[in-house]
Amino acid sequence: MSNKPPRPHQAQDSRTFPQSPTAFVSLRQLLDSLTKEQLRNQELLVSLGFALRSFTNLHRFLELVPVLASRLAGVEGALVVPFLADGRIWRDQLQADPSELNQDLLSKLLMFKQGMAKGFASDESQLIALDRVVQRHMPKAGIFATSLVARGRQRGRLYVFNRNKPLVWSDIHRRHVQLVADLTGVAVENDQIVQEVRRHERVDRQLSIGAEIQSQLLPDHCPIIEGVELAACCRPAFEVGGDYYDFIPTRPEFVGPKREKGRWALVIGDVMGKGVPAGLLMTMLRGMLRAEVLTGLSPDRILHDLNQLAQEDLAQSHRFVTLFYSDYDPYSRSLRYANAAHNPPLLWKADQKSVSRLDAPGFLIGLQSEADYGLGEIVLSPGDVLLYYTDGVTEAAGLSGDRFDEERLIKALEICCRAGLSAQGILDKLFLRLDRFVGGDHQLEDDASMVVLKVREELTLPSLHVSLP
């Protein structure tokens, strides 16, 4: 360490170049300014993220977007143009900042006809045309445009601009604007998902109401008819189906034992198609048919009149109906029937130990206005079984792709009848066989309905346990 005094020229140097704090203060102020800007930008982005998480109203969120985008980019204004799910400009959600200076631009976008066409957002040339509309409105402006993208789909466009001078900004500014665009794309996507979910919920509620109404139209239990057992079940493929069966007293004024001994109409039908439209048409036909039954006409005349009554409504819906109508007299055990191209019921004759089809000629309901229907009649014997069913049973697809078909149904019915099962036992076994064929985890492709009528045995024997193949 040296104790010598400083040289004269050293002292002179110190006096000639004094140390000024001005440069350090300016640098400190610049750093402080940058830090404040960074903190401000972080707060703005945090605010936008909070709004994305918290706002359930997309309009309120979109009002913030151009304000925050312009501040983050340090520019005079910004514009957000969101798109609807079908690609059209979402005219109700256009937002600009400052709004009072951009009313003319918003009006031009509202009048932009190409933006009203479905699929507009997926056409790159149309997006360029949209950019040109904005550019022409501000010919001296410096403009930066970017897309709002979510899940790979265009959800809108975001513009930031200086009206009368070019943009002077850094890559950080550009990244901030792109981050705002990405968050906005997510917001638009989320809103459209929410609206779609709500729409499905409304449809589900309507379907539930429709299913409840239809379930009330189908008999909740089988009536008591002297000398026979009845069992019935409908399994709709959807919440609301087009299958229909009914038991209708031809003399509804009768009550108690008198009604049990009276003539009853037994009917099963199927509207071509599934879901709500089919269910509504079948509901309409049910009312018409119940009114026709009160006329006391024969089955062929009832189908003839029903066809004429329903002709106009079915023609407008472009749908047809198959229907098998029969009436049963417990006193004579006589069954009269007519068929409008429905699957012929299967008849098990106990004395012959065989199954045959119960059919009569006839056109679909609604196919042509003047249609004739054949009339058939048989007398049932004790132990006879009649199976009404819809094509959802025989057309059910198995795991291998094969159909359940009529042959399997006949074989299963024979096994049940030979075992002496009750009407309910037969119905349960047939549906069990169908379920095994389709597979427990698979849904039926079409509505499946079955109705079993069994004439009581004169001597009741214990039924045997039966196992279907």
Side-chain angles (χ1 to χ4, degrees):
M1 178 180 293
S2 174
N3 294 322
K4 294 181 179 180
R7 295 178 181 179
H9 73 273
Q10 291 176 320
Q12 182 66 34
D13 289 344
S14 177
R15 290 192 298 271
T16 304
F17 301 101
Q19 294 182 353
S20 171
T22 305
F24 295 102
V25 171
S26 298
L27 180 60
R28 169 62 64 183
Q29 290 176 343
L30 177 60
L31 291 174
D32 289 344
S33 175
L34 290 174
T35 301
K36 290 179 180 178
E37 182 181 2
Q38 289 175 347
L39 290 174
R40 179 182 66 90
N41 290 344
Q42 288 177 1
E43 290 176 356
L44 291 173
L45 291 172
V46 168
S47 299
L48 189 64
F50 176 79
L52 179 61
R53 297 193 308 272
S54 305
F55 284 6
T56 56
N57 186 329
L58 179 66
H59 185 78
R60 291 182 60 196
F61 179 85
L62 293 179
E63 285 179 334
L64 293 177
V65 171
V67 177
L68 295 181
S70 59
R71 291 183 182 179
L72 284 167
V75 297
E76 296 175 0
L79 167 72
V80 60
V81 183
F83 299 146
L84 291 164
D86 60 8
R88 293 178 294 153
I89 290 177
W90 199 341
R91 295 192 293 179
D92 295 339
Q93 298 290 3
L94 294 175
Q95 298 292 340
D97 176 61
S99 58
E100 63 277 4
L101 297 179
N102 290 289
Q103 288 303 315
D104 290 343
L105 175 57
L106 293 175
S107 298
K108 288 183 181 296
L109 293 175
L110 290 174
M111 300 300 293
F112 183 50
K113 292 183 178 179
Q114 294 97 309
M116 300 304 105
K118 292 182 179 180
F120 169 83
S122 59
D123 188 340
E124 188 67 28
S125 64
Q126 295 291 357
L127 295 180
I128 294 174
L130 175 64
D131 293 346
R132 288 173 179 166
V133 171
V134 178
Q135 183 69 66
R136 282 197 300 266
H137 184 75
M138 298 181 290
K140 298 180 181 180
I143 302 176
F144 173 78
T146 187
S147 291
L148 316 179
V149 179
R151 293 198 302 173
R153 296 181 61 185
Q154 289 277 359
R155 299 299 179 183
R157 295 284 280 174
L158 175 63
Y159 303 88
V160 294
F161 50 82
N162 286 325
R163 280 186 167 274
N164 296 302
K165 59 183 179 181
L167 295 177
V168 179
W169 63 347
S170 66
D171 188 58
I172 295 296
H173 291 128
R174 186 192 63 79
R175 291 183 181 181
H176 283 161
V177 172
Q178 188 59 56
L179 180 56
V180 172
D182 292 341
L183 290 175
T184 307
V186 171
V188 175
E189 170 79 6
N190 286 347
D191 183 79
Q192 291 175 354
I193 291 174
V194 168
Q195 296 305 321
E196 185 69 12
V197 168
R198 288 176 179 171
R199 188 184 69 82
H200 282 294
E201 287 175 348
R202 289 194 297 269
V203 172
D204 288 343
R205 284 196 296 270
Q206 293 171 3
L207 286 174
S208 297
I209 294 171
E212 183 179 352
I213 293 173
Q214 189 180 33
S215 66
Q216 293 173 354
L217 294 177
L218 290 175
D220 56 0
H221 66 277
C222 296
I224 298 175
I225 302 177
E226 187 176 82
V228 300
E229 299 174 9
L230 289 171
C233 180
C234 172
R235 287 190 185 173
F238 296 89
E239 224 173 334
V240 181
D243 278 11
Y244 164 67
Y245 65 84
D246 211 349
F247 312 104
I248 311 167
T250 60
R251 299 290 299 272
E253 69 273 17
F254 291 166
V255 294
K258 199 170 184 180
R259 173 178 284 200
E260 296 173 10
K261 296 177 180 179
R263 186 182 292 273
W264 281 77
L266 296 89
V267 59
I268 190 166
D270 184 8
V271 174
M272 289 185 176
K274 296 179 280 292
V276 174
L280 291 175
L281 283 174
M282 189 52 77
T283 302
M284 174 196 71
L285 285 171
R286 175 187 182 271
M288 292 181 178
L289 180 60
R290 281 184 162 252
E292 280 297 313
V293 170
L294 299 180
T295 64
L297 296 173
S298 61
D300 57 324
R301 290 301 305 171
I302 286 178
L303 289 188
H304 175 271
D305 294 347
L306 180 65
N307 178 65
Q308 289 190 323
L309 287 171
Q311 185 67 39
E312 183 175 351
D313 291 326
L314 290 173
Q316 291 178 354
S317 68
H318 305 289
R319 294 174 185 268
F320 306 105
V321 178
T322 67
L323 197 69
F324 187 93
Y325 180 90
S326 60
D327 62 29
Y328 178 73
D329 181 7
Y331 179 76
S332 63
R333 295 203 296 260
S334 171
L335 183 85
R336 299 185 301 174
Y337 58 91
N339 194 4
H342 192 77
N343 300 82
L346 301 178
L347 174 63
W348 162 264
K349 293 296 292 181
D351 56 348
Q352 300 174 9
K353 299 290 188 291
S354 64
V355 174
S356 60
R357 299 177 185 85
L358 205 63
D359 202 2
F363 289 102
L364 294 161
I365 301 293
L367 184 62
Q368 61 182 49
S369 57
E370 287 299 331
D372 293 325
Y373 296 89
L375 176 65
E377 184 172 3
I378 59 168
V379 176
L380 300 179
S381 303
D384 288 354
V385 174
L386 190 58
L387 172 65
Y388 303 79
Y389 67 94
T390 60
D391 61 4
V393 176
T394 51
E395 293 297 317
L399 298 176
S400 63
D402 295 337
R403 300 295 177 180
F404 189 69
D405 66 43
E406 188 184 54
E407 184 179 347
R408 285 189 178 88
L409 184 61
I410 290 174
K411 185 176 180 180
L413 178 62
E414 285 181 342
I415 294 173
C416 293
C417 292
R418 289 179 185 276
L421 298 180
S422 64
Q424 188 63 54
I426 293 172
L427 184 71
D428 292 341
K429 288 294 183 180
L430 292 179
F431 269 113
L432 180 63
R433 178 68 181 90
L434 180 64
D435 291 340
R436 288 216 321 262
F437 179 81
V438 173
D441 298 331
H442 290 73
Q443 176 71 23
L444 291 172
E445 297 176 358
D446 195 4
D447 311 327
S449 300
M450 286 189 276
V451 177
V452 177
L453 179 149
K454 180 176 182 179
V455 181
R456 295 184 186 277
E457 303 275 4
E458 294 178 344
L459 177 61
T460 303
L461 299 176
S463 60
L464 303 177
H465 176 73
V466 57
S467 177
L468 294 176

